[in-house]
Amino acid sequence: MAWHFWIDRGGTFTDIVARAPDGRLHTAKLLSQNPGHYADAATAGIRRVLGLAPGVPIPAGLIGDSNSMPRASWRWPSRWAKCWPAPPPVSTCASGSISPAQSSMARAS
């Protein structure tokens, strides 16, 4: 199994939820803009959750495709469902490019 990531990039903070291969959930919260420490908050957050040093390449195959992940294996928290019905595809998250529309969905109520 591989890691799975869901990322919400907001104007101030970028929030990351990750599911480890063993099923445990991990979270991280980074400033969305922090050029003195990282170029991209989503990628830096993924590295942080994986325990990789800043700038170290993320190994190929370590992050899975959320479209192939059985939905029964991880429950999207119901308190998030009214704002964001389902996590975005991990391919979007892994590239560190959540669209403004996706990010604003998490803030809409």
Side-chain angles (χ1 to χ4, degrees), residues 82-96:
K82 70 175 187 174
C83 300
W84 202 344
V90 77
S91 57
T92 304
C93 299
S95 70

Side-chain angles (χ1 to χ4, degrees), residues 8-107:
D8 172 38
R9 184 191 311 263
T12 304
F13 292 104
T14 295
D15 297 296
I16 299 165
V17 177
R19 181 178 179 268
D22 65 6
R24 289 182 299 152
L25 294 178
H26 301 262
T27 60
K29 184 178 205 89
L30 291 85
L31 288 170
S32 294
Q33 301 292 318
N34 197 351
H37 295 277
Y38 42 81
D40 178 73
T43 306
I46 290 171
R47 284 190 181 101
R48 183 177 292 180
V49 169
L50 294 175
L52 299 173
V56 171
I58 298 169
L62 195 60
I63 299 174
D65 178 1
S66 67
N67 296 324
S68 64
M69 185 176 146
R71 289 292 177 185
S73 67
W74 188 76
R75 294 181 55 92
W76 189 243
S78 59
R79 63 188 167 89
W80 295 351
K82 70 175 187 174
C83 300
W84 202 344
V90 77
S91 57
T92 304
C93 299
S95 70
S97 60
I98 296 292
S99 74
Q102 287 172 308
S103 179
S104 66
M105 287 175 69
R107 291 189 301 272

